Amino acid sequence: MKKVKYAVLQAVAAHIEKNHNQMLHYLRTIVEHESFSADKEKLDQLALWLSETFEELVGGTSEIIEVQTYGNHVRCEWGQGEGQVLILAHFDTVWPIGTLNEMPFRIEGNRVSGPGIFDMKGGLIQGLFALKALKDTGISLDKKVVVFFDSDEEIGNPSSRPYIEEEAKKSDYVFVLEPGMTLEGALKTSRKGVGIYRLEVTGIPSHAGVDPDKGVSAIDELARQILKLHGETDFSTGTTISVGKISGGTATNVIAEKAEAEIDVRGKTVEELERVHKMLFNLEPLKEKTKLKMTGGINRMPLERTEKVQEMFETAKRIAKEQLSFELMEKETGGGSDGNLTAPFAATLDGLGAVGDGAHANHEHLLLDRMNERCALLAGLLIHYAGIREKS
C-alpha cells in the first residue's frame, strides 16, 4: 500500500477545518430529525434526507432500498475502480420520538448533546464530510467507495443484514463509523459475537395448597438452570451467559406448568460461540418429569482481532500520530455492531466515529473538538487503502 502523502492529507484536513461550522449545521439537522428504530415513517424520511445529502455533499450516486416492515436503507457510491471499500453507518437510534423535547440538541462549550448524537449520528456526519473533503480537494481514489446507511442496527439488523453481508463480500476493507470507546476515542479492534436464545420449561401443574406433591414446578427447574448457566460465565476468556428476562406461572396458588427465560451469550471467537451453542442445546432437565426446549442461535459472529485488523489499526495509529498529531488507542468491547456482520468476509476496523460518551444514556454527547481529526483520520485511511488514482 502506498503511504499517505503528508501534503495531501494536510490539504484534506485544512478543508475539513474550514468546513467545521457547516459540519456542525448538518449534525444539528440529523440529530433533530428523530429516528427511533420502530418508527418507519421517520426512518424513511431520514433515509431520503441522507440520499439527497450524500449527492449534494459528495456527489456520486445513491439508491434507497425500500423495506416493507422496517425503515428503508440507503446505498451510496462514490468514485470508481476494480476494488471496493465499504463504509458503514446506521441512522436508527434507541430513543423514542419525542425524546428531543427533554433532551434537545445543545452545545455547551466543547460538549454537544442530543438523542443519538454519539451513537451514531456524529460519526455518520464525519463520514460524509471526510468524503466531501476528498472530493473538494480533487482527490480521486483507485477503488470505488460504497457507503451503506442502515435503519435497523439497534434492533439486530433484521432487514439490512443480507445487504451488508453482500457488500462486505465485494469489499477489500470495511470502515465502521460507530463511536470510539471512552473519552479516549479508542478504535474497536475486537467485538464479541452474540447469541440470543430462549429456554422453555414444562412441568406438571397442581394446586399449591391441596396437592403440592403432585406438581413439578417449571419455575423451580428454570431457577436451577439459570444458576447452572450463569456458572458457565468465564471472565478470563470473555465468555458470558446472562439470563436477562424470565416469566412463568399462572397464579400464586398453582404449581407452575410453564416458565421461560431469554438468554444472552457473548464470546470472542467463533469456536467459543459454537461451543456454547452446542452446550445450550444439550441441556438436560435437573428435576425429573420436567421438559426443556431451547430455541435461538448465534446472531452475530465476533469481530476478531486478526492480523489484518491489527495491521489496519497500526496504519490508523501511524496516520493519527505522524500526520494528524494525536494519539490513537485500541480496545475490545462486548457490544455488537454492523462490523460483526462484515468481519467474516472482509477486514473490518470499527469505532471510527465520534468521540464522547453516553451511548443509550441520558448524558449522551460528543466532543466537538474531536470531530475534525476523526474526519481527517477516515480520509487518510481511505487514501491509504484505496490509493490515489493517477491523473491521465
Side-chain angles (χ1 to χ4, degrees):
M1 292 294 178
K2 298 177 181 178
K3 286 190 175 181
V4 179
K5 294 179 180 179
Y6 181 82
V8 172
L9 189 53
Q10 291 306 299
V12 170
H15 183 278
I16 292 169
E17 184 77 29
K18 180 181 178 181
N19 285 270
H20 178 76
N21 288 338
Q22 186 187 20
M23 181 161 55
L24 185 58
H25 166 74
Y26 278 85
L27 177 65
R28 179 170 197 145
T29 300
I30 195 172
V31 171
E32 291 186 341
H33 187 122
E34 294 181 285
S35 50
F36 183 42
S37 301
D39 194 309
K40 177 170 172 56
E41 182 179 359
K42 289 287 188 181
L43 289 166
D44 289 353
Q45 291 172 1
L46 189 51
L48 179 60
W49 181 86
L50 285 168
S51 175
E52 294 172 345
T53 298
F54 183 87
E55 293 187 6
E56 171 194 340
L57 294 178
V58 182
T61 61
S62 67
E63 171 194 4
I64 293 178
I65 299 172
E66 295 188 359
V67 178
Q68 184 173 2
T69 303
Y70 304 95
N72 294 337
H73 313 302
V74 186
R75 182 188 184 277
C76 305
E77 276 191 24
W78 180 68
Q80 56 186 335
E82 293 184 4
Q84 173 175 305
V85 174
L86 176 63
I87 298 175
L88 279 177
H90 70 84
F91 58 93
D92 63 320
T93 78
V94 299
W95 301 102
I97 306 302
T99 301
L100 200 64
N101 297 327
E102 289 76 40
M103 204 168 102
F105 181 89
R106 180 180 290 123
I107 302 175
E108 297 173 307
N110 190 40
R111 177 171 165 152
V112 191
S113 56
I117 194 167
F118 180 56
D119 185 14
M120 61 165 288
K121 292 181 174 180
L124 189 155
I125 295 300
Q126 288 170 192
L128 285 173
F129 273 78
L131 291 171
K132 171 180 166 59
L134 291 173
K135 185 257 297 184
D136 288 352
T137 53
I139 295 174
S140 297
L141 301 178
D142 226 9
K143 295 180 187 291
K144 175 175 65 179
V145 177
V146 172
V147 184
F148 194 90
F149 301 112
D150 66 279
S151 69
D152 58 2
E153 189 274 344
E154 295 291 2
I155 54 174
N157 303 96
S159 65
S160 64
R161 181 174 190 143
Y163 298 104
I164 292 172
E165 291 179 343
E166 180 183 357
E167 294 299 338
K169 291 173 184 177
K170 296 184 290 186
S171 300
D172 299 316
Y173 301 94
V174 180
F175 302 108
V176 184
L177 302 183
E178 285 278 351
M181 282 193 71
T182 73
L183 292 175
E184 297 166 325
L187 301 191
K188 299 164 182 177
T189 54
S190 173
R191 281 186 180 273
K192 292 182 182 180
V194 182
I196 301 173
Y197 300 87
R198 180 189 296 271
L199 173 61
E200 300 176 17
V201 181
T202 301
I204 300 174
S206 69
H207 194 293
V210 178
D211 295 311
D213 57 320
K214 294 181 180 178
V216 181
S217 173
I219 291 176
D220 187 355
E221 172 68 17
L222 180 61
R224 295 167 189 256
Q225 292 289 348
I226 290 172
L227 290 175
K228 173 180 172 61
L229 291 174
H230 281 188
E232 295 290 331
T233 288
D234 186 349
F235 292 115
S236 67
T237 63
T239 299
T240 60
I241 302 176
S242 174
V243 174
K245 184 179 178 181
I246 60 173
S247 62
T250 56
T252 55
N253 62 347
V254 177
I255 301 295
E257 180 183 17
K258 299 287 186 179
E260 61 183 39
E262 296 181 15
I263 306 165
D264 178 279
V265 174
R266 309 276 165 150
K268 290 184 179 181
T269 66
V270 173
E271 290 77 14
E272 183 63 2
L273 283 177
E274 290 176 344
R275 181 192 70 79
V276 174
H277 177 88
K278 184 176 179 181
M279 180 270 290
L280 290 174
F281 276 87
N282 286 326
L283 283 179
E284 296 288 344
L286 297 173
K287 293 190 67 177
E288 291 185 4
K289 299 181 180 180
T290 60
K291 297 178 181 178
L292 306 181
K293 180 183 178 182
M294 184 71 71
T295 56
I298 298 171
N299 175 262
R300 298 172 189 259
M301 289 300 183
L303 192 171
E304 297 188 42
R305 189 186 279 117
T306 63
E307 288 186 10
K308 278 192 173 182
V309 171
Q310 195 62 41
E311 185 275 329
M312 290 176 76
F313 170 72
E314 293 299 333
T315 298
K317 183 178 180 180
R318 186 171 61 252
I319 292 172
K321 183 174 183 178
E322 297 178 2
Q323 304 198 45
L324 299 173
S325 301
F326 73 93
E327 296 292 333
L328 195 60
M329 300 178 63
E330 64 173 317
K331 290 183 183 293
E332 62 180 32
T333 177
S337 83
D338 292 332
N340 290 77
L341 304 182
T342 61
F345 308 108
T348 300
L349 191 59
D350 203 336
L352 285 160
V355 179
D357 194 18
H360 302 191
N362 291 333
H363 66 287
E364 181 172 10
H365 67 278
L366 61 75
L367 300 181
L368 189 58
D369 66 355
R370 303 295 298 276
M371 291 191 74
N372 291 352
E373 68 183 32
R374 302 289 279 201
C375 209
L377 175 62
L378 177 61
L381 285 167
L382 289 171
I383 293 171
H384 180 87
Y385 285 105
I388 297 177
R389 181 179 290 273
E390 299 294 337
K391 295 181 180 179
S392 56

